[in-house]
Structure formats: C-alpha cells, structure tokens
Amino acid sequence: MKKRLALLLACGMAMSMVPVQAEEAKDEINLGVLIYKFDDTYISTVRAAIEKYAEEADVTINLDMQDAQGDQAKQNDQMDILVEKDLDAVLINCVDTGSAQGLADKAKDAGIPAIFFNREPAKEIMESCDGLFVGTTASEAGVMQGDLLADMWEAHPEYDLNGDGVCQYLVFKGEPGNPEAEARTSYSVSQAEERGMKMENVQGEPVVANWATDQAQNSMEAILAAHEGEIEAVFCNNDDMALGVISALNAVGYNTDAEAENWIPVIGVDATDAGVEAINSGKMAATVKQDGDAMGKALIEVAINAANGKDFVEGTEYEIAEDGVSVRIPYSRVEATTADAE
Ligand code: CA
C-alpha cells in the first residue's frame, strides 16, 4: 500500500510539472464529488448546479459523483475508491463533519485539493491539507429573519395583536447542537432586538422540532390549544417546520390566505418549493434562501483553479473569508410580492 502511494504521489508530481512547464491550463479535469445525501432538498439544487456549471465550463469536466445516503462509513469507502482514480480535485459534502479529518488526510495522501462544502469542518482540517470550505455564514440566515420581521413589524402596526408594544413570538428549532439550528435560533431573535423590537418568547424557550414538519405541527397544535390569539410571530429554522406551524394555524382559522382576518407572520429558511408556494398563497410571510445555484457555480470555479494548481479564488468573483480557509456564499430574502402592496 505504502509503495503504491509513493508511486501515485510521484506520478502526481510529475504530472503537475507538465502544466507549469507549458504554462497551460488542463483541457480536461476529473472531479470527484462526495454528497452526504442525494435526496436532501437543498443539496439536490447544489448537485444540479454543479452539473450545470461543469457542463458550461470552457474545459471538459468529468464528474464522478457519489451518494453516501447519510452514512459516513459509506462515504469513507467512496473516498477510498475515488482517490485510486486519476482525480484533479475532490468536492466533499461530509455526512459528519467529525469525520472530515480522515477525508482530508486521504485527499492529502493522494496529492489532490479537497474542497469541502455546505457542512463545515473545523478550520484546522482545511489547513491540514490543500483545503477550502465553501458555505454560508451560520449567523446570516438568522440575522436576515430578524431583519424581515423587524421590517414587517414597522410596516404593520396591527401585527402587535395585543398592542403592548412587545412581540410575543415562538421560535421552532432544528436539532439541538446543530450549528445552523443554534445560530438561526439565537440570531433571528437577537437581530429583531438589535433593530429595536421588544421580544417575548411565549414558551419561554425554543420549540425543538428537529427540522420536521410533523413535529412542528404537533407542537404548534399543543401551543395553540393554550395560547391561541397570544402569538404574534413565528421564526422557524427551516421551511419544513414552518409548513407544520402553518398547518396548525390553518386548522384554527389563521393564515389561510393573505386576506385572512387572523394572520401572523411565519418566517422560515431554505425557500423550498413548498415554502415558496406557501408564501405565494399568502400563508407564510417570508423565507431566507441558501442559494444552491450560486454554491454550485462557486464550487466549479474554485475546483477548476485548484485542478490547475492555482489559488482557489484566482481570477474569480470570490474572496477568501477572514478565517483564511473559506469562501462564503450569501443568503437572500424571499418575500411575498404582495406583502408590500398591502
Ligand atoms: Ca404584543
């Protein structure tokens, strides 16, 4: 094994010298792509964008894309098989960021750059190899949710149902401990407060619903049984939970459409197809979008640079973030176009 590795490394070195001498970019690039789970809604959009921008690139890009189906052991095996092939770089969407070091080591041993994306490993892991992380800033989605609510609260004094100048709210949380769930839960509320709103959590604490529609719906039904009419806004860490909250609200006559007499702002994250449909039909106030298309575009551009031995962001529109090991793709706001007209 060791002998073969040395040989591979020697080959890699010899090959990497060719473009340096010729000062030419490769005309064909082999990219390995490890995906944590193909049927994740957001990741599907990233996957489609990777394929689209690979096709559109002015160099031939051969993608070898693997589905770990949410199983880290499976992803480790896929990495072992990929590094035996003649790859120029590998894109890695970890199942478990706790296992990212092992993947980084394998990329390093194979002499190829490792571009992690979406699920963020510790900074030291990117530093330990020819590594980069492409993702979002965890706090940004929450901050945008807080801004969305503050803007609505200013535009619609009637949203303060009991007129006490305080926003009685709920926040539905994904898995406790998940960095995105923690950041969205705290920053949505702190940003609303930053914008001058007085916030009061009706439950006294976040409602944990593990990203799931049915859990959010069940919890919201129970909360409404005790607090119907007292809730003035709902933040949800994702659209799936927002849709569960809305189903529970609909069942008691709230948020049935934009003209409903009883209506409270529900704000999600993700801009899933169902989430956007709920916004367009007046049931949901807004969501925050992780731009999967922009993510895929960035991944292909930095991968082409990496494959050619250039700096990841050289000649692109991207910048390395303050941490020195990442490129951050901004979120964007998605609101009902009718909201402003009301
Ligand atoms: Ca109030």
Side-chain angles (χ1 to χ4, degrees):
M1 180 68 197
K2 254 197 179 140
K3 203 172 188 179
R4 190 143 64 118
L5 202 62
L7 194 66
L8 277 171
L9 282 172
C11 286
M13 279 163 63
M15 278 165 53
S16 72
M17 284 170 68
V18 175
V20 172
Q21 284 169 346
E23 300 255 330
E24 264 178 26
K26 289 180 180 160
D27 52 14
E28 190 161 344
I29 290 172
N30 296 322
L31 273 189
V33 187
L34 294 175
I35 301 282
Y36 105 92
K37 196 163 75 174
F38 272 18
D39 63 9
D40 176 288
T41 309
Y42 169 68
I43 289 300
S44 295
T45 65
V46 177
R47 201 154 51 86
I50 289 171
E51 286 167 349
K52 180 178 86 173
Y53 290 103
E55 183 71 37
E56 286 177 5
D58 50 13
V59 50
T60 302
I61 298 181
N62 304 310
L63 295 176
D64 189 335
M65 212 178 273
Q66 302 290 329
D67 179 9
Q69 297 172 320
D71 180 347
Q72 186 60 56
K74 191 180 188 102
Q75 187 167 63
N76 294 344
D77 292 344
Q78 290 169 338
M79 184 67 174
D80 286 335
I81 294 166
L82 276 184
V83 295
E84 293 294 322
K85 299 180 182 177
D86 181 24
L87 289 185
D88 296 298
V90 60
L91 303 177
I92 306 172
N93 173 215
C94 297
V95 175
D96 170 13
T97 53
S99 297
Q101 187 66 64
L103 298 170
D105 291 345
K106 286 173 186 176
K108 189 179 181 184
D109 289 345
I112 54 173
I115 301 159
F116 291 90
F117 66 101
N118 172 243
R119 298 185 152 202
E120 186 169 5
K123 185 184 172 192
E124 294 71 30
I125 293 174
M126 271 76 76
E127 289 170 341
S128 75
C129 61
D130 185 5
L132 180 75
F133 173 69
V134 180
T136 50
T137 303
S139 59
E140 194 187 354
V143 168
M144 277 195 177
Q145 286 186 301
D147 277 330
L148 280 160
L149 182 63
D151 290 347
M152 290 175 208
W153 194 257
E154 278 171 24
H156 296 272
E158 73 277 15
Y159 285 2
D160 184 5
L161 299 176
N162 63 357
D164 67 349
V166 178
C167 177
Q168 279 75 28
Y169 76 96
L170 294 171
V171 54
F172 280 71
K173 186 175 179 177
E175 287 157 11
N178 174 288
E180 300 284 344
E182 297 297 340
R184 290 173 192 178
T185 299
S186 59
Y187 282 96
S188 54
V189 179
S190 66
Q191 181 64 17
E193 288 171 339
E194 188 80 16
R195 290 278 307 273
M197 290 181 69
K198 292 191 179 73
M199 303 292 287
E200 181 188 348
N201 189 323
V202 174
Q203 286 293 97
E205 58 185 3
V207 183
V208 173
N210 298 303
W211 308 113
T213 302
D214 57 341
Q215 290 186 37
Q217 183 173 348
N218 290 340
S219 297
M220 189 64 179
E221 283 169 0
I223 293 165
L224 283 169
H227 298 285
E228 191 187 330
E230 298 171 26
I231 301 153
E232 297 172 340
V234 184
F235 288 125
C236 297
N237 288 176
N238 71 349
D239 286 351
D240 285 353
M241 292 190 291
L243 293 170
V245 166
I246 287 165
S247 292
L249 285 168
N250 288 168
V252 293
Y254 275 75
N255 291 43
T256 46
D257 59 59
E259 271 74 49
E261 197 174 328
N262 293 316
W263 198 92
I264 62 171
V266 178
I267 303 174
V269 179
D270 282 342
T272 62
D273 289 347
V276 171
E277 196 184 313
I279 291 171
N280 290 336
S281 61
K283 296 177 177 181
M284 183 159 142
T287 187
V288 173
K289 183 184 175 186
Q290 283 198 64
D291 195 337
D293 190 75
M295 170 80 81
K297 182 169 186 280
L299 287 169
I300 290 299
E301 290 192 25
V302 300
I304 291 172
N305 271 343
N308 283 307
K310 294 183 184 173
D311 286 345
F312 288 111
V313 297
E314 191 178 326
T316 69
E317 63 186 280
Y318 309 106
E319 293 180 353
I320 298 293
E322 263 178 35
D323 62 13
V325 295
S326 71
V327 167
R328 303 288 166 174
I329 308 295
Y331 283 88
S332 55
R333 296 159 62 127
V334 180
E335 299 167 77
T337 46
T338 51
D340 292 330
E342 278 171 18

